[in-house]
Amino acid sequence: MSPRMVPAAADRAGRTDRPLSITVDGAPVSGIEGQSIAGVLLGAGRLSWRRGPSGPRGVFCGIGACFDCLVTVNGEPDVRACRRAAVDGDTVLTQERA
Amino acid sequence: MTGVVVIGAGPAGLAAAEQALRAGAEVTVLDEAEEPGGQYHRMLPRAYAARHPERLQTGWRAFDRRQRRVREHPRCTFTARTRVWALEPRADRAPLVHVLRGAADSAGGRAVLEPEALVLATGAHDRVLPFPGWDLPGVFTAGAAQALAKGERVLVGDRVVVCGTGPFLLPVAASLLEAGGRVLTVLEANPAATLLRGWTARGRELLPQAGKAAELAGYAACLLRHRTPYRTGRAVVAARGEGRVEEVVIARLRPDWSPVPGTERVLPADAVCAGHGFSPRLELPVAAGCALDRGEFVLVDAEQRTSSPCVYAAGEITGIAGAPAAAAEGAVAGWVAGGGDPAAITRLLRRRDRGRAFAARLARAHPIGSGWPDWLRPETVLCRCEGTDYRTLCRALEDPARDAARAVRLGTRAGLGPCQGRICDPTVAELTARRGGEVSMAHNRPIAQPIRLADLAGPPEKERNS
């Protein structure tokens, strides 16, 4: 199994999802408003999106300390995907190395 | 009126802000996140429009009351999405606070604050000991898994193993279970005897922490309900898979955490959440010139003053003790920083002292065993950013010409990547100390957050007094 989003209908927190869509390396990926870019990617079932020196990398620390999840957002390189809120229409490019 | 800047809006920072306001100060609270709460009270994004956010929180009502009181106070400015990238010490005054506002790691929005008193409440992040395969996608820090489940409603996997040491593993497992995940097992590396010795010594001291015990009992009940076993003296000693975690190797440990040969067992799993305690976030205290206690935590006096003029510290940066203790420290720090008379807060001081006793107990019950490097292999990655492996570090440490910590760093590149040693420093320091080498826990990161050169070159947007 892959990472996934808790379905809104089953969520005890009682969410109201408003969908958004970003492109990742040109492919559309949908998420919901309020999610981080890392959350959108994980919610879409992706565990990794950056190439580190010893292999693929995705989220590790989840709070901005490890810099494993860096991506380029709308032309800005080295953005921590776990810290940046996704905005509808964002263009995300994965990175080889930081 | 004193202008107090509080950095961090977790339990410590919010309590500091509340008390500084009570003392009559003008308060500015800075936090990186969109909402206050820090990691402990991580809130769902506002855009989720959740009808029952309290269902995901411990102690929500008290927290919500406090955050409203602070944010709605006429003398308080709460500034979300603000990163402090540098502190600039000044003689006999609080340091200047250099901030970047706006979306994380974005360009622009530079400003400088000039506080009369500064409260540092920057918290901690998970410490994770390396093991073979810990750099595979699917291995998360325990805190990351909880932050995603609680703060975004994203589940990191469906067959999850939670491992490491400390009571924090329980709420992490509970968050995953609550979100509908399957937690195969929770593994505490310390044996039951160590836990018992640590937690029961001078049991009366624990009475005031009864709330904490009830919270833990709630998590234990949650594990039971889901038939998730909690096992002591065991650890994940390797994660394996093609490009992602597919299985883990679990072993029984001796009290010093060295694996007992022959006890290895392979378990299919799609995620590992590991946490071996916490690393305090010390770059801002170090930048402010605060002396450290044994190089580990910020040294504070009886009123949470650091060695740096007009700088106070509270929460996990002064010792790992959890949210109630952090809030108690924050309350003292905020009151004193705001110009309040310490004689007027004996109750807060007592609560803070109990928090410190709890920290000592936590450290005794959940030490890191000295035998954990036995699970490393020569090719095990130690520095995730630079890919430095165990073999490379050992070679560097054997070379007499590389005795200095700085030379080891430059020779192996461990700690020189984007995270600047935030993740691997404790590991490298421990392995270095073991071989009798010179140890340097850097924490010296004058640029505490990434800033783009163009922003650095230009003047700040505005100068403002706080």
Side-chain angles (χ1 to χ4, degrees):
Chain A
M1 265 299 279
S2 297
R4 60 180 161 85
M5 191 82 196
V6 176
D11 196 334
R12 293 198 309 146
R15 301 193 321 252
T16 313
D17 289 1
R18 282 179 295 168
L20 61 74
S21 178
I22 63 175
T23 65
V24 181
D25 293 335
V29 179
S30 46
I32 60 171
E33 265 182 48
Q35 275 190 296
S36 66
I37 286 171
V40 171
L41 286 161
L42 286 164
R46 257 182 99 157
L47 265 186
S48 60
W49 47 83
R50 181 174 149 259
R51 192 85 206 159
S54 66
R57 293 279 192 275
V59 171
F60 179 61
C61 81
I63 59 169
C66 78
F67 294 72
D68 265 9
C69 65
L70 297 180
V71 288
T72 297
V73 182
N74 304 330
E76 269 183 345
D78 304 332
V79 172
R80 284 168 285 182
C82 71
R83 298 279 325 281
R84 174 71 72 96
V87 175
D88 193 41
D90 274 347
T91 305
V92 175
L93 297 177
T94 56
Q95 296 184 194
E96 267 301 299
R97 289 265 336 238
Chain B
M1 204 179 333
T2 315
V4 178
V5 169
V6 178
I7 304 179
L14 273 184
E18 183 183 37
Q19 290 298 327
L21 289 164
R22 248 193 81 216
E26 184 94 35
V27 177
T28 303
V29 185
L30 311 174
D31 197 85
E32 299 177 350
E34 185 190 356
E35 301 290 338
Q39 299 307 327
Y40 186 78
H41 289 295
R42 188 180 259 252
M43 290 163 78
L44 286 173
R46 196 169 294 183
Y48 279 22
R51 289 187 304 278
H52 299 290
E54 76 285 353
R55 290 184 180 167
L56 307 181
Q57 297 276 345
T58 304
W60 169 264
R61 218 177 295 164
F63 161 71
D64 195 43
R65 264 201 308 268
R66 178 171 282 165
Q67 68 104 2
R68 279 174 202 274
R69 215 158 31 227
V70 168
R71 285 167 87 167
E72 289 162 11
H73 198 286
R75 272 184 279 110
C76 180
T77 310
F78 176 78
T79 317
R81 302 206 306 168
T82 299
R83 294 147 284 147
V84 177
W85 66 271
L87 291 179
E88 187 181 335
R90 300 181 292 175
D92 304 322
R93 292 157 80 190
L96 293 176
V97 180
H98 292 266
V99 302
L100 291 163
R101 300 184 202 278
D105 298 337
S106 63
R110 197 179 138 201
V112 185
L113 280 69
E114 204 175 332
E116 287 165 76
L118 180 64
V119 179
L120 301 172
T122 49
H125 59 80
D126 293 76
R127 179 174 178 193
V128 179
L129 297 174
F131 50 83
W134 77 307
D135 52 333
L136 277 176
V139 179
F140 297 85
T141 70
Q146 196 194 33
L148 285 161
K150 233 173 86 168
E152 287 207 40
R153 307 309 276 152
V154 168
L155 200 51
V156 293
D158 237 16
R159 294 173 57 83
V160 189
V161 175
V162 176
C163 63
T165 189
F168 180 54
L169 301 180
L170 293 170
V172 169
S175 290
L176 293 168
L177 290 166
E178 183 280 328
R182 211 171 128 204
V183 179
L184 302 176
T185 181
V186 179
L187 306 175
E188 160 67 52
N190 280 298
T194 306
L195 305 187
L196 272 175
R197 242 192 341 265
W199 286 112
T200 58
R202 287 179 300 186
R204 279 183 48 200
E205 274 179 15
L206 265 183
L207 286 177
Q209 300 287 338
K212 204 82 202 151
E215 186 187 334
L216 284 175
Y219 298 136
C222 170
L223 258 59
L224 265 176
R225 228 175 18 251
H226 289 90
R227 296 165 201 269
T228 296
Y230 173 82
R231 314 184 75 182
T232 55
R234 283 176 179 80
V236 168
V237 295
R240 303 195 292 220
E242 270 312 308
R244 58 164 297 169
V245 174
E246 287 163 357
E247 59 184 31
V248 298
V249 182
I250 291 169
R252 195 194 301 255
L253 304 183
R254 298 193 184 93
D256 74 347
W257 291 26
S258 55
V260 179
T263 62
E264 293 88 356
R265 196 161 70 84
V266 177
L267 197 64
D270 61 7
V272 179
C273 305
H276 302 94
F278 294 92
S279 300
R281 309 184 89 159
L282 295 174
E283 45 274 282
L284 293 181
V286 167
C290 303
L292 301 184
D293 182 5
R294 284 161 293 160
E296 272 186 288
F297 295 106
V298 181
L299 191 66
V300 285
D301 72 3
E303 276 125 30
Q304 303 298 129
R305 270 184 211 91
T306 70
S307 66
S308 193
C310 312
V311 180
Y312 302 77
E316 307 291 60
I317 54 173
T318 74
I320 305 299
E329 283 199 345
V332 172
W335 175 258
V336 181
D341 177 4
I345 53 162
T346 45
R347 201 171 52 86
L348 288 180
L349 289 166
R350 231 182 2 254
R351 195 183 304 161
R352 190 271 320 274
D353 292 344
R354 286 199 299 262
R356 284 187 180 170
F358 187 73
R361 185 178 293 275
L362 192 63
R364 272 201 305 274
H366 299 277
I368 288 185
S370 60
W372 67 266
D374 282 9
W375 66 52
L376 299 177
R377 290 200 291 262
E379 65 279 10
T380 304
V381 167
L382 303 182
C383 170
R384 302 172 65 90
C385 297
E386 292 295 322
T388 310
D389 60 23
Y390 187 39
R391 178 192 290 123
T392 306
L393 183 74
C394 290
R395 269 200 206 128
L397 291 171
E398 277 156 20
D399 183 345
R402 282 183 178 174
D403 196 30
R406 191 184 165 78
V408 168
R409 182 173 283 240
L410 291 173
T412 67
R413 295 203 53 80
L416 292 182
C419 97
Q420 289 288 288
R422 284 174 176 87
I423 304 297
C424 71
D425 259 359
T427 296
V428 172
E430 196 173 327
L431 295 172
T432 304
R434 217 169 260 257
R435 281 163 179 76
E438 184 203 324
V439 175
S440 143
M441 286 281 276
H443 306 309
N444 186 12
R445 304 176 186 110
I447 309 293
Q449 291 272 346
I451 174 167
R452 285 163 210 280
L453 283 174
D455 290 330
L456 199 53
E461 256 175 21
K462 53 182 176 182
E463 295 271 345
R464 51 168 284 188
N465 293 327
S466 168

